Amino acid sequence: MRVISRKKLKDFWERHADSEQALKSWFHEAKSTRWKLFTDIKARYRSADALPGNRVVFNIKGNTYRLIVCLHYNTGIIFIRFIGTDSDYDRIDATLI
């Protein structure tokens, strides 16, 4: 899949160094796979949650951080919509991101 954009992840791990390895691992795995349905994601990431609008929430580094992406399954593109701490996540409406 094509992830847009790695820069958002990099900017985040530069501010939160403990997230770097987990985000890099997620990025490389997402880039090298082809998810066709949410069930494909759920099979690999059991804690992932589906949101309306083809959005998915991933728990990063043991739920210390949250990553919200919007997937275009048909074109194989993942858009990074949000990356933040668990408390940052609590302050947003994830369905609108």
Side-chain angles (χ1 to χ4, degrees), residues 3-65:
V3 180
I4 300 174
S5 106
R6 183 177 184 265
K7 184 177 181 342
K8 286 183 182 180
L9 300 177
K10 185 175 185 267
D11 290 347
F12 186 81
W13 78 54
E14 286 176 349
R15 291 188 318 273
H16 302 275
D18 63 327
S19 70
E20 182 174 0
Q21 284 309 112
L23 288 171
K24 281 182 175 179
S25 293
W26 178 90
F27 175 82
H28 289 292
E29 185 166 348
K31 189 174 141 183
S32 65
T33 194
R34 181 61 192 250
W35 294 315
K36 294 184 185 282
L37 300 166
F38 175 71
T39 55
D40 298 336
I41 296 168
K42 194 69 172 176
R44 170 62 182 97
Y45 295 95
R46 298 187 58 96
S47 64
D49 292 312
L51 296 173
N54 288 333
R55 288 178 176 81
V56 177
V57 179
F58 292 92
N59 296 329
I60 303 295
K61 196 177 179 291
N63 205 24
T64 302
Y65 303 106

